[in-house]
């Protein structure tokens, strides 16, 4: 049998049950952060982040880095991820739908 490279570990999205351990909360405090406030912002941010960018190998290490950055920013947590602007095709589809609704006499009707 030939030699095969070991498979790289796969990351995962932040589990719904993840919350910083007592040690991580103490780490946050030692960096001048409010553990509850930082944990809430951390969870909201990472759970809302779409696609592969929201996948990490080590969520505890990610939290420690988040606390360090939060401390460097003077307690100002990162903003929530922005929605991507609609593609030209999606914008055109919205316009066509609005025109069709207008022709049907439904105008600005709630969808």
């Amino acid at each position: 049998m030939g030699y095969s490279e070991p498979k790289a570990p796969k990351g995962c999205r932040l589990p719904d049950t993840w919350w910083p351990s007592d040690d991580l909360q103490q780490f946050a405090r030692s960096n001048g952060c409010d553990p509850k406030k930082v944990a809430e912002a951390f969870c909201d941010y990472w759970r809302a982040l779409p696609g592969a960018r929201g996948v990490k190998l080590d969520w505890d290490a990610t939290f420690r880095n988040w606390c360090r950055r939060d401390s460097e920013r003077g307690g100002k947590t990162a903003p929530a991820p922005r929605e991507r602007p609609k593609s030209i095709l999606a914008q055109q589809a919205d316009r066509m739908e609005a025109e069709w609704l207008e022709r049907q006499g439904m105008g600005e009707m709630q969808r």
Side-chain angles (χ1 to χ4, degrees), residues 17-107:
T17 57
W18 187 91
W19 190 254
S21 66
D22 291 341
D23 287 343
L24 287 173
Q25 291 182 44
Q26 182 56 42
F27 181 85
R29 279 187 213 92
S30 71
N31 278 275
C33 301
D34 175 341
K36 184 176 188 288
K37 180 181 171 187
V38 171
E40 288 171 348
F42 178 84
C43 289
D44 285 348
Y45 178 85
W46 288 108
R47 289 186 179 128
L49 199 63
R53 290 177 33 215
V55 175
K56 300 293 176 203
L57 288 174
D58 184 342
W59 283 107
D60 289 354
T62 304
F63 181 77
R64 287 190 298 272
N65 286 328
W66 183 279
C67 290
R68 289 181 192 108
R69 279 192 222 96
D70 188 65
S71 179
E72 290 168 3
R73 287 190 296 263
K76 295 179 182 162
T77 58
R82 295 185 310 255
E83 278 191 41
R84 282 184 156 168
K86 284 189 174 183
S87 69
I88 293 172
L89 190 57
Q91 292 173 28
Q92 184 178 9
D94 287 348
R95 280 193 304 275
M96 290 173 67
E97 180 183 24
E99 290 168 3
W100 181 84
L101 288 170
E102 189 65 38
R103 284 194 306 271
Q104 301 303 313
M106 295 182 238

